[in-house]
Amino acid sequence: MNKLFVRIEQFVVAMYIKMLKEPKQKLYIGNDSLFSLVKEMKKEKYSKVFVVTDKTIMSLNLIGNLLNTLKANNIDYCVFDEVESDPCIDTVEKGFTSYMNNNCDSILAVGGGSVLDCAKVIGARVSDPNRSVLKLKRIIGGVRKFNVPFMAVPTTSGTGSENTLYAL
């Protein structure tokens, strides 16, 4: 009997996932992919990008060219590099506050899984600012509408979480 309930639950969850409308995605691959991304940002008229990363990426200057390209294309940015491995709710809240205080209009995550997931939750908070992170926490569909333009530049290979709006 228990197996039947599990199968019914799996079926219901699968149907719900199929009904969810994921935003249209664009994928840039190759040597000029970052320049293509910045070109798209300019086309979309993003004026202040919230760059989410970590101290290691910054100390190795892995995004120096990206930041220079943003500047050269008259796209202002604010860097939030306080993401630690397995970020906590306080980190998300600091990022949310920084995003709001700097009047950003989009999010660009550059880093590994922790950075990408933290940036997504920051975006969820911005999209639904009256709900705390704990209130956003659900298995599926925690955010009513994710309305912040979100871009990801993964620096590691792994689960491919940059392709979804889900965060762990």
Side-chain angles (χ1 to χ4, degrees), residues 19 21 27 31 46 56 62 69 72 110 127 140 143 149 151 159:
M19 291 186 322
K21 301 239 179 190
L27 180 64
N31 293 336
Y46 300 148
T56 303
L62 294 178
T69 304
V110 182
S127 296
I140 300 172
V143 181
M151 297 144 287
T159 64

Side-chain angles (χ1 to χ4, degrees), residues 8 11 44 63-65 68 81 85 111 114 119 130 148 151 155 164:
I8 291 171
F11 176 77
E44 293 293 329
I63 62 172
N65 285 340
N68 290 336
D81 66 354
S85 182
S114 292
N130 296 323
V148 178
M151 297 144 287
T155 58
T164 72

Side-chain angles (χ1 to χ4, degrees), residues 34-50:
L34 288 180
F35 298 110
S36 298
L37 175 62
V38 172
K39 189 172 154 183
E40 180 71 19
M41 294 163 118
K42 188 169 183 160
K43 183 180 123 191
E44 293 293 329
K45 298 184 170 120
Y46 300 148
S47 60
K48 190 154 190 186
V49 179
F50 190 66

